[in-house]
Amino acid sequence: MLELNDPSLLKQAALVNGEWLAPGADAIQVINPADGSVVGKVPACGASETSAAIAAAKAAWPEWRARTAHERAVLVERWHALVIENLADLARIMTAEQGKPLAEAEGEIRYAASFIKWFAEEGRRVGGRNVASPERDRRILVMVEPVGVAAAITPWNFPAAMITRKCAPALAAGCPVVIKPSEFTPFCALALAELALRAGIPAGLIHVLTGMPHEIGETITSSPDVRKVSFTGSTRVGSLLMRQCADTIKRLSLELGGNAPLIVFEDADLDIAVKSAMASKFRNAGQTCVCANRIFVHAAVEQEFLARLGAQVSALNAAPGFAPGSTIGPLINQAAVDKVAAHLADALDKGGRVVAEGQGREDGQFVRPVIVAGATSKMRLASEETFGPLAPVFRFESEDEAIAMANDTPFGLASYFYTRDLARAFRVAERLEAGMVALNTGSMAMEMAPFGGIKQSGLGREGGTQGIEEYLETKAFHIGGLEL
Ligand code: SIN
């Protein structure tokens, strides 16, 4: 049994219009990936619950949009305060359902809370423009208005941050939200929604539909009352949602798959490069869309880089997220474990060599981190997202070669590179095909910076000043016949 300071935060229910719907005979079990135990059960919502949530959101919208940005921001800020107050419980819920080490889960709750605070503040700064008029008796105002009912379809790898990165800007902008969290990790979403209600956000404004994605997703995408869909997940599902949203011409934000390159040039500060590679590759056991999926190292520093990275990887410890000293939690399910094993076997078959391995468990859904040197473009790990703790190292000889290899992918989410040469820094940053480029750092996820990709990595941006614009429409207001 999960021990919480406030056990009422573990909601075994779906949330529609302020009512907690109990699970029925077809309940979905949420499994702890560390030991296969049942964390709890949630209802298998379908079309009727989804339609009820959309209808309640639509009904609640006029009153919410009529409030001032300041009034909305006060409630969103209260939500932020409650999330921080309940950080310990939220993190424990996350570790139980998602598996990540408790310290990392606490970090994610802080990260999730940062979006709530940021967008409460950004909501106050939403404003339009006054455009120079071509006529003396006319004025033109560019006004911005909330888009309407928004749907947030969120993944299991960041069960709290992906909820707040979508819902906080929606609410602050004046939109109700219908959330469909991953069926693997609904409890963080439900706890966050409970805290939003406790903060005073009206019941019609936030709904959580638990269950399998198919029916809920189809009801959301086909509804003319849902004006915006924001999705984080795979490119395959993103493209399906895009097709499903076409008939009702919805606004879409898609944060999809990546295949991030991390390039270490010969003049790099290797301490920074190694620290960054560790942070980027092994965060959340390698289960992030911005994880370094391919590490390119200049031949002149390859041996030194491998030795230093190897020393750090050997200290990683695959263990249950609640165990002291755990740095790599279990993967989310058996399919994830199988994919890493298949990528490793394929790489070894095609000439790759294991040069370092972490410690800890290798049973169940635990996978020890591993570095494979001698990686080539023929290996599956070069073109597919591994989404696990396998770090392949490719060798290169020139800047042009590194950039060509880095861009040789249909994805364009994150990329990382390491150099001390200023001219090279600009050359490479401008040539890398990605929505986010990091120089001499391994982190790029923060509330004040726009997050998102190009090519098949998606559409739109979350976070930053751009994140709230995804929930706003532009209206041109022409005022003629003015006797000035
Ligand atoms: C993701 O992997 O989907 C998001 C990662 C992040 O916010 O850093």
Side-chain angles (χ1 to χ4, degrees):
M1 189 64 194
L2 183 59
E3 278 181 31
L4 299 174
N5 299 319
D6 177 355
S8 71
L9 281 178
L10 187 74
K11 294 280 178 207
Q12 303 199 49
L15 176 64
V16 175
N17 204 18
E19 254 188 76
W20 294 99
L21 311 178
D26 57 352
I28 292 175
Q29 290 190 332
V30 178
I31 304 297
N32 181 335
D35 58 13
S37 63
V38 177
V39 183
K41 288 182 191 169
V42 289
C45 293
S48 68
E49 293 84 358
T50 308
S51 299
I54 294 169
K58 188 182 176 197
W61 185 37
E63 196 276 328
W64 186 244
R65 71 177 291 185
R67 294 195 194 193
T68 65
H70 175 79
E71 286 166 336
R72 290 195 293 261
V74 167
L75 297 185
V76 177
E77 269 163 8
R78 216 178 277 160
W79 186 26
H80 169 261
L82 288 175
V83 170
I84 294 294
E85 226 170 85
N86 290 279
L87 188 148
D89 279 350
L90 292 168
R92 290 183 70 78
I93 292 172
M94 187 181 302
T95 293
E97 67 177 353
Q98 199 275 343
K100 64 181 69 178
L102 191 56
E104 221 177 308
E106 287 166 357
E108 187 187 330
I109 298 301
R110 276 189 282 275
Y111 178 47
S114 75
F115 290 112
I116 307 182
K117 182 140 180 61
W118 172 260
F119 284 113
E121 291 160 354
E122 282 298 289
R124 288 198 173 95
R125 288 190 274 271
V126 165
R129 233 157 45 90
N130 185 6
V131 176
S133 170
E135 295 155 14
R136 289 191 175 189
D137 66 348
R138 175 191 294 259
R139 291 293 178 268
I140 307 169
L141 301 185
V142 180
M143 309 200 306
V144 285
E145 299 180 345
V147 66
V149 177
I153 306 179
T154 59
W156 49 262
N157 59 345
F158 289 88
M162 298 305 102
I163 302 282
T164 58
R165 192 152 81 182
K166 297 178 193 311
C167 296
L171 291 168
C175 303
V177 273
V178 174
I179 304 166
K180 159 69 185 89
S182 163
E183 59 278 18
F184 294 111
T185 56
F187 290 126
C188 283
L190 291 159
L192 286 166
E194 161 69 7
L195 294 174
L197 297 182
R198 287 186 198 173
I201 291 175
L205 267 289
I206 187 157
H207 312 266
V208 183
L209 298 162
T210 57
M212 303 308 282
H214 186 71
E215 203 174 319
I216 300 173
E218 277 197 349
T219 311
I220 285 173
T221 52
S222 61
S223 167
D225 294 329
V226 175
R227 297 307 319 137
K228 160 90 196 178
V229 171
S230 178
F231 168 72
T232 297
S234 70
T235 297
R236 185 187 64 77
V237 175
S239 122
L240 173 73
L241 288 172
M242 207 168 170
R243 279 194 293 276
Q244 290 180 343
C245 287
D247 286 343
T248 47
I249 316 285
K250 292 190 201 315
R251 293 273 300 273
L252 270 177
S253 304
L254 300 173
E255 204 260 276
L256 308 176
N259 185 1
L262 184 149
I263 309 171
V264 182
F265 286 102
E266 66 277 23
D267 64 337
D269 179 325
L270 288 189
D271 284 340
I272 293 179
V274 167
K275 189 169 166 228
S276 304
M278 291 299 293
S280 163
K281 176 70 242 182
F282 297 108
R283 176 174 172 230
N284 199 14
Q287 303 174 106
T288 89
C289 54
V290 290
C291 270
N293 200 52
R294 298 166 297 152
I295 300 177
F296 300 107
V297 184
H298 192 279
V301 291
E302 187 193 14
Q303 288 316 313
E304 180 64 19
F305 178 83
L306 281 173
R308 293 200 206 181
L309 188 71
Q312 302 239 347
V313 167
S314 312
L316 291 175
N317 179 24
F322 287 117
S326 164
T327 47
I328 298 283
L331 300 193
I332 192 69
N333 55 28
Q334 191 55 43
V337 176
D338 294 345
K339 187 170 189 191
V340 180
H343 278 197
L344 180 59
D346 173 72
L348 298 183
D349 201 38
K350 291 177 180 150
R353 340 180 279 289
V354 170
V355 293
E357 212 184 341
Q359 310 164 17
R361 302 250 314 250
E362 291 196 276
D363 57 331
Q365 288 168 212
F366 290 94
V367 173
R368 283 189 189 157
V370 62
I371 306 177
V372 171
T376 71
S377 61
K378 304 245 179 319
M379 297 174 179
R380 282 182 62 189
L381 49 69
S383 54
E384 296 173 26
E385 221 177 350
T386 303
F387 237 62
L390 160 59
V393 175
F394 302 69
R395 180 188 305 162
F396 70 88
E397 308 275 350
S398 74
E399 188 179 305
D400 280 348
E401 186 192 3
I403 291 172
M405 286 160 93
N407 287 341
D408 184 19
T409 166
F411 301 102
L413 189 60
S415 54
Y416 308 81
F417 71 104
Y418 302 86
T419 181
R420 286 186 267 209
D421 176 334
L422 185 59
R424 170 179 275 164
F426 279 95
R427 269 195 319 268
V428 175
E430 288 168 13
R431 291 176 68 194
L432 283 173
E433 296 170 358
M436 295 171 283
V437 178
L439 166 64
N440 296 336
T441 173
S443 64
M444 50 177 46
M446 41 199 76
E447 72 276 19
M448 61 291 288
F451 188 105
I454 61 170
K455 295 161 78 177
Q456 291 182 27
S457 289
L459 299 174
R461 293 294 178 268
E462 298 192 308
T465 51
Q466 290 81 356
I468 200 161
E469 288 165 10
E470 302 282 335
Y471 297 90
L472 295 168
E473 288 287 13
T474 298
K475 182 184 274 176
F477 182 29
H478 294 254
I479 308 132
L482 294 170
E483 290 174 17
L484 296 165

